[in-house]
Amino acid sequence: MKRLLSIGIKGLGAFILLYAILGLGYNMSFGRVLLITIVLGTISYIIGDLIILPRSNNIVATGVDLATAFAVIWGLNAYSLDYHTLLLYYSSLIGAIAIAAFEFFYHMYLLKTFIHEKQTYYYTPSRTRFQTESSEELHPNIKKNKDTEEK
C-alpha cells in the first residue's frame, strides 16, 4: 500500500509540474503531457528510485532523474514538427530541471519511508568491543640491545 501511495505522489506531482510548464507554458496538449508523465514516471521510478537510490545517495539519483527527464521529454517531442528545435530544447531543459527539483524532495520521502526502514541491526554499534594486541617489538620508542636481552 505504501508503494502505491508513493507512486501516486510521484505521478501526480510530475503531472502537475509538467502540465504547468509544458502544457500552459509551451502549449502542449493534455494527452502529450499525460503520455510524457506516464513514460517518465515508469522509467525514472524503476531506474532512479528502485535501482540507483538504494545503492547511492540522493544527489546521484536526482542527477540520473534529471538526465532521464530531459531525454524522455526531448525524445517524445522530437518527432513533432510543430516545435522549433531551440524551443524543444528549452522546454525539455526547464521541464527536466523542475522534475529534478521535485525528485530531490521525493527521494527524501522515499529514504525516510522505505530505505531506512529496512536497515536493521542485530547488535548496537556501541556494544562492540574490539581487543587489540601489542607487543614490544612493534613499539617504536623502545629499542633493546641484544646485550640486555641475554642478561
Side-chain angles (χ1 to χ4, degrees), residues 38-54:
I38 291 170
V39 171
L40 176 63
T42 305
I43 292 172
S44 71
Y45 188 75
I46 292 171
I47 293 174
D49 300 337
L50 294 179
I51 296 174
I52 294 178
L53 184 62

Side-chain angles (χ1 to χ4, degrees), residues 33-70:
V33 173
L34 186 62
L35 176 70
I36 290 170
T37 303
I38 291 170
V39 171
L40 176 63
T42 305
I43 292 172
S44 71
Y45 188 75
I46 292 171
I47 293 174
D49 300 337
L50 294 179
I51 296 174
I52 294 178
L53 184 62
R55 291 173 177 81
S56 65
N57 58 13
N58 192 359
I59 302 296
V60 173
T62 303
V64 169
D65 283 334
L66 174 70
T68 304
F70 182 78

Side-chain angles (χ1 to χ4, degrees), residues 11-149:
L12 185 64
F15 179 74
I16 290 171
L17 281 173
L18 287 177
Y19 189 74
I21 293 170
L22 300 177
L24 300 176
Y26 290 98
N27 294 327
M28 283 190 191
S29 67
F30 180 83
R32 184 174 288 174
V33 173
L34 186 62
L35 176 70
I36 290 170
T37 303
I38 291 170
V39 171
L40 176 63
T42 305
I43 292 172
S44 71
Y45 188 75
I46 292 171
I47 293 174
D49 300 337
L50 294 179
I51 296 174
I52 294 178
L53 184 62
R55 291 173 177 81
S56 65
N57 58 13
N58 192 359
I59 302 296
V60 173
T62 303
V64 169
D65 283 334
L66 174 70
T68 304
F70 182 78
V72 166
I73 294 170
W74 179 283
L76 290 178
N77 289 321
Y79 68 90
S80 177
L81 297 176
D82 56 343
Y83 291 108
H84 189 268
T85 306
L86 191 60
L87 183 65
L88 178 63
Y89 172 76
Y90 285 129
S91 66
S92 301
L93 184 64
I94 292 170
I97 290 172
I99 291 294
F102 169 73
E103 289 285 336
F104 180 78
F105 296 106
Y106 178 71
H107 290 159
M108 285 195 269
Y109 165 73
L110 283 182
L111 286 170
K112 180 182 163 191
T113 305
F114 294 109
I115 296 173
H116 291 304
E117 180 179 279
K118 292 181 182 178
Q119 294 179 353
T120 58
Y121 296 102
Y122 297 108
Y123 59 91
T124 58
S126 64
R127 289 188 172 180
T128 55
R129 295 185 182 129
F130 296 107
Q131 295 180 352
T132 59
E133 182 178 329
S134 63
S135 64
E136 294 174 356
E137 294 89 22
L138 297 177
H139 198 278
N141 294 331
I142 298 176
K143 293 183 181 178
K144 292 188 176 184
N145 293 335
K146 289 184 180 179
D147 297 334
T148 58
E149 288 180 7

